[in-house]
């Protein structure tokens, strides 16, 4: 499943349409609101991809442009990292703590379209994996949004 089929820069309305979501359940844009989210389960986005079953996927839209995709998963062993590396390329310099029995690690790598952040945290019996995929081309929207949030 390649999330790049949900192109960065896509409008909120087009994203909702591509996801084939019920438009009545989607919140309307509020004047002055520059940030919108669409959250769906992985089964909606990546049918037949076992790694995404029941996993929430957040699409982040700033200034009516898709700029970020976030995925979090609880599991017994790392699995999202394999998916991410199959799509966005392997990172050969993983922290050694990733290979521990109870891994706690994080790293970032880039490809031509995106910056990918991966982290894994261990709990007693489960791992929490997180992947954030950000558009490189739309980086200016993150800066603009941060400045507006800080009141500049």
């Amino acid at each position: 499943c390649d999330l790049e089929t949900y192109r960065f820069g896509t409008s909120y309305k087009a994203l909702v349409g591509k996801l084939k979501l019920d438009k009545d359940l989607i919140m309307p844009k509020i004047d002055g609101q520059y940030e919108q989210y669409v959250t769906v389960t992985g089964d909606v986005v990546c049918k037949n991809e076992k790694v995404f079953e029941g996993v929430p996927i957040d699409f982040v839209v700033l200034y009516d442009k898709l700029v970020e995709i976030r995925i979090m998963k609880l599991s017994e062993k790392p699995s999202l990292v394999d998916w991410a590396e199959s799509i966005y390329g392997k990172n050969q310099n993983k922290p050694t703590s990733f290979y521990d029995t109870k891994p706690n690690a994080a790293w970032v790598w880039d490809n031509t379209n995106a910056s990918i952040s991966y982290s894994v945290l261990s709990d007693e019996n489960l791992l929490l994996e997180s992947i954030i995929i950000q558009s490189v081309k739309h980086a200016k929207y993150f800066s603009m949004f941060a400045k507006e949030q800080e009141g500049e």
Side-chain angles (χ1 to χ4, degrees), residues 31-46:
D31 287 340
Q33 180 180 342
Y34 302 109
E35 179 181 40
Q36 292 173 287
Y37 294 89
V38 177
T39 301
V40 295
T41 61
D43 326 54
V44 171
V45 176
C46 296

Side-chain angles (χ1 to χ4, degrees), residues 44-61:
V44 171
V45 176
C46 296
K47 296 174 180 76
N48 305 322
E49 186 83 37
K50 196 161 182 78
V51 72
F52 286 114
E53 285 181 4
V55 174
I57 298 178
D58 296 321
F59 293 88
V60 180
V61 177

Side-chain angles (χ1 to χ4, degrees), residues 99-117:
Y99 301 101
D100 292 349
T101 308
K102 293 191 176 210
N104 285 301
W107 64 89
V108 176
W109 73 100
D110 297 316
N111 73 10
T112 55
N113 298 324
S115 179
I116 301 92
S117 171

Side-chain angles (χ1 to χ4, degrees), residues 30-130:
I30 300 167
D31 287 340
Q33 180 180 342
Y34 302 109
E35 179 181 40
Q36 292 173 287
Y37 294 89
V38 177
T39 301
V40 295
T41 61
D43 326 54
V44 171
V45 176
C46 296
K47 296 174 180 76
N48 305 322
E49 186 83 37
K50 196 161 182 78
V51 72
F52 286 114
E53 285 181 4
V55 174
I57 298 178
D58 296 321
F59 293 88
V60 180
V61 177
L62 296 178
Y63 306 99
D64 204 33
K65 305 259 186 247
L66 175 62
V67 296
E68 182 176 276
I69 301 170
R70 300 176 188 165
I71 308 162
M72 293 184 82
K73 179 180 182 178
L74 282 172
S75 59
E76 293 179 4
K77 62 180 185 170
S79 59
L80 283 179
V81 67
D82 295 332
W83 166 82
E85 289 185 333
S86 74
I87 301 296
Y88 299 102
K90 288 196 181 286
N91 182 336
Q92 302 301 328
N93 299 316
K94 294 179 183 74
T96 55
S97 59
F98 174 71
Y99 301 101
D100 292 349
T101 308
K102 293 191 176 210
N104 285 301
W107 64 89
V108 176
W109 73 100
D110 297 316
N111 73 10
T112 55
N113 298 324
S115 179
I116 301 92
S117 171
Y118 173 82
S119 68
V120 59
L121 300 171
S122 296
D123 195 359
E124 290 298 315
N125 300 316
L126 293 174
L127 302 175
L128 176 62
E129 288 183 284
S130 172

